[in-house]
Amino acid sequence: MTYNEEGTVVHDMANELKEKFTIDYRKLLSQLQNEETECGCERLLFEPAVFFCNGMNCSSKRIRRNSFYYYAGNNQYFWCLSCYNELDEKTAIELVDLTIKKSELTRKKNDEVHEENWVQCDSCERWIHQICGLFNTRKHKAHESEYCCPNCLLARRKSGNGMSLPKPPGASDLPRTKLSIWLERHVRQKMEERKMELANEKATAEHLSLENALKAVNAGGSVTIRQVTSTDRKLEVREKMKNRYAHKNYPDEFPFRCKCILVFQKLDGVDVVLFALYVYEHGENNPAPNKRTVYISYLDSVHFMRPRPMRTFIYHEILISYLDYARQKGFSTAHIWACPPLKGDDYIFYAKPEAQKTPKDSRLRQWYFDMLKECQRREIVGTVTNMYDLYFNDPNLDATAVPYLEGDYFPGEAENIIKDLEEGRGKKSGSSGKKKNKKKSVGGSSKKSKSSGSDDEEDKPDVERDPVMVKLGEIIQPMKESFIVAFLAWEGAKPDHLVVPPEIQEHRAKARLEQGDSREGTKRSLDGSLRLSTSFGQSISELDSLKDPNGRPIKIVDDDLEELDCEFFNNRQAFLDLCRGNHYQFDELRRAKHTSMMVLWHLHNRDAPKFVQQCASCSREIVSGTRYHCSTCADFDLCEDCYKNPRANRGSCTHKLEAIAVETSSEGNNTNGNITPEQRKERQRNLELHIQLIEHASRCDSKNCKMSNCAKMKAYLKHGATCTTKSSGGCKICKRIWALLLRIHANKCKSSRCPIPQCIAIRERVRQLQKQQQAMDDRRRQEMNRHYRMGMVEGR
């Protein structure tokens, strides 16, 4: 109409279309007044459920969508069609908590869809999606409290009639640790500096005032960093690796400290989790080759960070500040396997946005190299190399010299190579690898000859190379840049490990001049130890004297001395299972907000049930009162209202239902942030005493045992062995015993005939989680091998 005069055919047709659009638009607005007003949608579906096969041949692989499978044990165990066909009709299937025959398995099709639930506002009586309204079903138990939708709540506040509602605990209310405070202070300081740089650039380019430019740059809210787990774990060496190098006293296991860090940002007044990082720390007391090693195990993010250009900068600063923290703690090397997840796999966050692309391995490698380059500039990191050049290129080293890290490429590939060697495969490639290494040793680099210790080392006959190292070196050589090793500038660093490129040296010299040579750089003390320079003028020892704005000391948890136990964050697979089971997704911002709200609720109420049953009739979560469970049908429960209502739709279930009381946990009293150090030590001492008591009672045969509380604990153990409700059903006694076993005893116990009830079952469940995680790591490793193998074939 703008470019065609009135009275022309095009103008008249456009005007007619405009009038029709206006009428339809007004109709739509009037309909939305009586419908869901937050997203404008009606039926919204979650991601399909994910099932992992428990068969012997599948190794925890996913069961394909729209295919048939078989299940047992209240929808806990699954078999794909091929694994089901291989089961023996006469042999019983021994599972963790039940024994079942093949004929008793139930057939089902993997085509279920789950729809988002609704909630009715008590003020305007409109229905909105629970996710859109940030409705927490765990807090509104039995629907006794009033719920006000966001629109009504906003209208109340604008009119001045709104009552001040209690603020739910947020990310900033989680316990603080030394590591989280270190990361948060560093990142916030660097963010302010970066925002000022961006504002100056924007003001100059667009001729704006600095104040307006700062407003445009400060689009996002504050960033909060918290550590949610810090637990001691052990990595068991796989069988073939252990047997092959037993003569060299190779360790059976490697202890390490697992830490999980979450990053939240306040978006539209809601704390949203946007980044997660898992690190494994192998300390000074760890056996070689893992001594003083940190492993950047998994990191994941969703792209809702504001402003968007700050994402990479903030995530880099988190890793930089962590490596700075690690070197001050005495760690010498950092290992990174730069490998993106496969399509359909999630590292930490479940169901990320479709628009968020997974980086290719070359881009991911460069992302890490850019971060490490900045670490070198700040004198946090020295030499950056790779596993091939460091270990496999040295003919004097065998497989025992390579760090053995959970989730890394080496343990799985080494196990496969040893298996091939034992079965007679790979001999040809092993001999050719030996010849290649002989040629390399003649024309070796000066660094290699220096490490040999003498000038005439090359004249000595070559020792026979470890065939595992030869074969593995041939495999990883084309992709060696993906296995990054960074030497940290820690107090005991060797000069050879602090060599950096000339451009880094020039940058360091320039930075020292600009700062008036105030930093110590890489100077050494009289005893030869390195004088550490901090990246932002702070040391870890300063954290002990921090105070809040009122001058009171801040309560800080020492994450190296005290355990931060969180069942669903102790490993990434447990968190993925929590998200899958409760439909906690990150594919949209509204879902990410609701998921973050629920994750924070779980973190502040760690003893609360992780999963709750849903009524099969009204689809409401049963969080209080009584649920009526069918022991025959899979995952079938009714709430009290539907059970008493004769017209309630029970589907195909006609069996007798069992009444089970639903446990209601008290909120807000399960975190460790508000207890004193003395109370924390007393709690730890009580836990150790209870573990000693439970271990004694399980082995005590005396009817008149003189040990106090032995008889009482025996009664608890007898209850745990015979209870049908279990902790998942709400039994408080079972739950206490389960917590003690899961947190301490079961993690250390190795007995195949442990007398403590459920100990073997708990260890088996942990092993199942590890198998799922290991299966994903194996898929990544196999895909990486296939990709580079195809690249080598095409390059010939």
Side-chain angles (χ1 to χ4, degrees):
M1 293 172 66
T2 304
Y3 300 101
N4 292 274
E5 297 179 359
E6 190 175 350
T8 60
V9 176
V10 175
H11 186 281
D12 293 342
M13 291 177 65
N15 190 46
E16 186 178 343
L17 285 173
K18 180 184 175 184
E19 292 175 357
K20 188 175 186 309
F21 171 79
T22 304
I23 295 170
D24 291 343
Y25 179 67
R26 287 173 180 168
K27 278 185 182 179
L28 180 61
L29 286 180
S30 62
Q31 289 177 3
L32 291 177
Q33 293 295 326
N34 300 318
E35 295 178 2
E36 156 75 73
T37 58
E38 299 300 317
C39 63
C41 301
E42 292 186 5
R43 190 168 184 258
L44 295 173
L45 302 179
F46 288 112
E47 282 287 309
V50 179
F51 303 109
F52 295 93
C53 180
N54 293 103
M56 296 296 294
N57 299 326
C58 274
S59 184
S60 296
K61 289 184 179 178
R62 285 188 178 190
I63 295 176
R64 287 181 310 210
R65 186 71 177 159
N66 294 318
S67 63
F68 287 96
Y69 68 97
Y70 292 81
Y71 68 89
N74 197 19
N75 217 21
Q76 289 180 318
Y77 304 100
F78 311 95
W79 289 264
C80 66
L81 199 58
S82 60
C83 289
Y84 173 80
N85 291 333
E86 293 183 5
L87 293 175
D88 188 4
E89 295 281 357
K90 299 179 181 179
T91 306
I93 306 170
E94 297 287 343
L95 298 171
V96 177
D97 50 2
L98 78 155
T99 302
I100 197 169
K101 294 183 179 179
K102 179 179 179 179
S103 57
E104 296 174 341
L105 300 181
T106 308
R107 191 171 189 253
K108 199 173 184 181
K109 191 174 183 181
N110 187 14
D111 60 354
E112 286 186 342
V113 291
H114 296 273
E115 184 180 345
E116 284 192 20
N117 289 330
W118 298 74
V119 62
Q120 188 179 26
C121 175
D122 293 314
S123 298
C124 64
E125 298 186 349
R126 292 177 184 168
W127 288 87
I128 63 172
H129 292 117
Q130 292 182 2
I131 289 177
C132 294
L134 292 177
F135 180 74
N136 187 346
T137 55
R138 305 295 182 92
K139 293 187 69 174
H140 295 77
K141 297 171 183 174
H143 309 278
E144 296 172 354
S145 56
E146 179 186 3
Y147 172 71
C148 188
C149 72
N151 288 336
C152 292
L153 188 61
L154 182 62
R156 283 186 185 182
R157 289 182 176 177
K158 284 182 177 180
S159 64
N161 297 326
M163 296 175 60
S164 58
L165 299 176
K167 185 181 177 182
S172 60
D173 299 311
L174 292 172
R176 299 182 181 187
T177 66
K178 285 188 174 183
L179 176 57
S180 68
I181 289 180
W182 175 273
L183 297 177
E184 187 176 79
R185 295 180 71 188
H186 172 89
V187 170
R188 285 182 175 178
Q189 177 182 325
K190 292 295 181 180
M191 280 181 65
E192 292 304 317
E193 294 174 4
R194 180 61 177 164
K195 285 180 180 179
M196 186 58 70
E197 291 176 8
L198 294 176
N200 285 323
E201 293 174 4
K202 189 176 184 67
T204 304
E206 301 180 13
H207 305 288
L208 298 173
S209 65
L210 184 60
E211 184 179 354
N212 291 333
L214 276 171
K215 286 181 180 178
V217 171
N218 285 319
S222 61
V223 170
T224 303
I225 301 177
R226 288 293 182 269
Q227 182 180 354
V228 291
T229 62
S230 181
T231 56
D232 287 325
R233 287 168 54 184
K234 291 182 180 179
L235 170 62
E236 294 184 3
V237 178
R238 301 192 190 186
E239 200 64 30
K240 295 187 181 300
M241 180 77 179
K242 184 166 55 178
N243 294 337
R244 186 177 182 88
Y245 297 101
H247 67 284
K248 302 196 75 172
N249 295 323
Y250 194 72
D252 294 337
E253 59 187 17
F254 291 96
F256 63 94
R257 190 83 164 176
C258 173
K259 297 181 179 180
C260 177
I261 297 143
L262 296 183
V263 179
F264 300 83
Q265 187 181 30
K266 190 82 76 174
L267 299 178
D268 306 321
V270 180
D271 285 319
V272 183
V273 57
L274 300 176
F275 179 86
L277 170 67
Y278 279 91
V279 293
Y280 300 153
E281 297 179 349
H282 297 257
E284 181 183 6
N285 298 326
N286 225 264
N290 287 15
K291 186 176 181 179
R292 295 185 182 274
T293 297
V294 295
Y295 182 51
I296 309 296
S297 178
Y298 298 98
L299 59 86
D300 204 357
S301 67
V302 285
H303 68 186
F304 300 124
M305 175 77 71
R306 297 176 188 169
R308 187 71 66 87
M310 290 285 287
R311 278 183 65 211
T312 297
F313 175 81
I314 292 174
Y315 300 157
H316 274 181
E317 289 298 330
I318 293 169
L319 290 175
I320 290 169
S321 57
Y322 171 72
L323 293 179
D324 191 16
Y325 182 89
R327 73 179 182 121
Q328 293 197 48
K329 281 289 187 180
F331 293 98
S332 60
T333 56
H335 290 252
I336 302 171
W337 177 19
C339 180
L342 298 181
K343 185 178 180 181
D345 279 339
D346 295 305
Y347 270 172
I348 300 172
F349 296 125
Y350 173 55
K352 293 195 287 291
E354 288 187 11
Q356 182 173 334
K357 304 300 181 184
T358 302
K360 294 186 177 180
D361 52 353
S362 57
R363 185 171 181 178
L364 183 61
R365 281 198 308 268
Q366 191 59 48
W367 190 89
Y368 279 114
F369 284 136
D370 291 343
M371 181 271 297
L372 291 172
K373 191 174 183 180
E374 185 62 30
C375 287
Q376 287 181 322
R377 288 173 178 164
R378 301 184 194 178
E379 304 184 37
I380 297 171
V381 165
T383 304
V384 175
T385 181
N386 58 74
M387 285 182 64
Y388 180 83
D389 292 341
L390 190 60
Y391 304 110
F392 297 95
N393 212 20
D394 189 339
N396 299 315
L397 298 180
D398 59 15
T400 61
V402 183
Y404 201 91
L405 306 167
E406 181 170 309
D408 195 29
Y409 179 92
F410 173 74
E413 194 65 25
E415 200 75 0
N416 287 345
I417 290 173
I418 295 171
K419 180 182 177 182
D420 290 344
L421 291 172
E422 290 177 352
E423 294 176 355
R425 298 194 295 266
K427 287 184 178 180
K428 186 176 180 181
S429 61
S431 61
S432 63
K434 181 178 174 181
K435 291 178 182 178
K436 288 180 183 178
N437 279 285
K438 283 184 180 181
K439 292 180 182 178
K440 286 183 180 180
S441 64
V442 174
S445 62
S446 59
K447 185 184 292 186
K448 192 184 295 184
S449 62
K450 185 183 289 186
S451 64
S452 64
S454 62
D455 295 331
D456 59 348
E457 188 74 24
E458 295 176 358
D459 298 333
K460 295 180 181 180
D462 284 332
V463 295
E464 185 176 356
R465 292 231 37 203
D466 182 359
V468 177
M469 293 290 280
V470 173
K471 185 65 178 174
L472 192 52
E474 291 174 356
I475 294 173
I476 73 167
Q477 197 273 336
M479 49 186 173
K480 65 179 184 178
E481 298 298 330
S482 297
F483 305 101
I484 305 170
V485 181
F487 286 96
L488 303 180
W490 69 294
E491 196 174 36
K494 298 179 181 178
D496 289 349
H497 296 163
L498 299 177
V499 178
V500 294
E503 60 268 21
I504 299 296
Q505 296 177 11
E506 293 174 6
H507 182 275
R508 289 179 177 180
K510 184 178 178 182
R512 288 176 196 151
L513 286 174
E514 290 177 354
Q515 297 182 15
D517 200 20
S518 60
R519 295 191 297 169
E520 293 292 339
T522 55
K523 294 181 180 179
R524 294 183 176 269
S525 304
L526 294 176
D527 60 355
S529 62
L530 188 70
R531 294 185 186 176
L532 295 181
S533 60
T534 58
S535 63
F536 62 112
Q538 293 180 349
S539 64
I540 296 175
S541 59
E542 296 177 23
L543 300 178
D544 295 326
S545 58
L546 290 180
K547 296 182 179 180
D548 62 15
N550 298 322
R552 293 172 298 187
I554 298 176
K555 295 176 182 178
I556 303 175
V557 178
D558 191 331
D559 50 283
D560 290 319
L561 300 178
E562 303 174 40
E563 290 232 342
L564 275 176
D565 183 69
C566 183
E567 182 183 345
F568 53 91
F569 267 119
N570 282 342
N571 60 72
R572 63 167 193 86
Q573 194 62 50
F575 180 64
L576 277 174
D577 288 348
L578 174 79
C579 292
R580 286 171 181 149
N582 291 298
H583 302 297
Y584 296 159
Q585 300 182 187
F586 292 87
D587 53 342
E588 300 173 7
L589 180 57
R590 66 185 190 90
R591 283 180 171 171
K593 289 178 180 178
H594 183 267
T595 296
S596 301
M597 178 190 72
M598 297 307 301
V599 168
L600 282 169
W601 186 88
H602 282 292
L603 285 171
H604 285 289
N605 301 275
R606 302 192 183 197
D607 292 337
K610 307 303 174 290
F611 305 96
V612 294
Q613 283 70 25
Q614 197 173 45
C615 178
S617 180
C618 65
S619 298
R620 289 179 175 178
E621 290 183 340
I622 310 171
V623 294
S624 62
T626 306
R627 65 183 176 94
Y628 295 85
H629 176 70
C630 179
S631 57
T632 304
C633 299
D635 201 16
F636 186 92
D637 293 271
L638 289 180
C639 64
E640 282 190 90
D641 294 340
C642 293
Y643 178 76
K644 295 175 182 178
N645 184 5
R647 296 184 179 180
N649 181 18
R650 291 184 54 168
S652 59
C653 179
T654 57
H655 310 102
K656 184 179 180 180
L657 303 183
E658 177 187 2
I660 300 175
V662 178
E663 180 186 6
T664 57
S665 61
S666 57
E667 296 184 8
N669 60 349
N670 297 313
T671 59
N672 297 327
N674 297 320
I675 61 176
T676 63
E678 291 75 16
Q679 290 174 327
R680 193 177 288 115
K681 289 179 181 178
E682 184 64 23
R683 178 181 290 184
Q684 186 67 26
R685 180 176 171 275
N686 288 336
L687 281 174
E688 292 173 358
L689 290 175
H690 275 85
I691 286 298
Q692 293 175 10
L693 177 60
I694 203 171
E695 290 176 348
H696 164 82
S698 64
R699 295 174 174 85
C700 180
D701 297 328
S702 173
K703 295 182 179 180
N704 299 313
C705 182
K706 296 180 180 180
M707 187 174 183
S708 60
N709 294 322
C710 177
K712 188 175 182 180
M713 184 57 72
K714 284 180 181 177
Y716 283 159
L717 292 176
K718 184 178 180 180
H719 169 87
T722 58
C723 180
T724 57
T725 306
K726 304 295 183 185
S727 62
S728 58
C731 178
K732 293 184 179 180
I733 296 176
C734 288
K735 191 165 188 177
R736 289 170 188 164
I737 299 174
W738 175 277
L740 285 171
L741 289 171
L742 184 63
R743 292 175 61 182
I744 303 175
H745 172 81
N747 288 336
K748 298 178 181 179
C749 181
K750 293 184 178 180
S751 173
S752 58
R753 296 181 180 179
C754 182
I756 299 179
Q758 299 297 315
C759 175
I760 296 175
I762 294 170
R763 282 152 50 194
E764 183 61 30
R765 292 186 186 182
V766 173
R767 195 175 292 113
Q768 288 294 330
L769 284 176
Q770 291 174 345
K771 282 179 64 178
Q772 291 180 19
Q773 185 162 315
Q774 185 178 315
M776 195 199 78
D777 293 332
D778 289 343
R779 289 196 298 272
R780 282 196 304 157
R781 178 171 48 78
Q782 292 163 7
E783 177 60 24
M784 198 171 187
N785 290 345
R786 187 192 66 81
H787 173 74
Y788 280 94
R789 196 179 296 119
M790 288 179 60
M792 291 177 64
V793 172
E794 292 173 358
R796 290 177 182 173

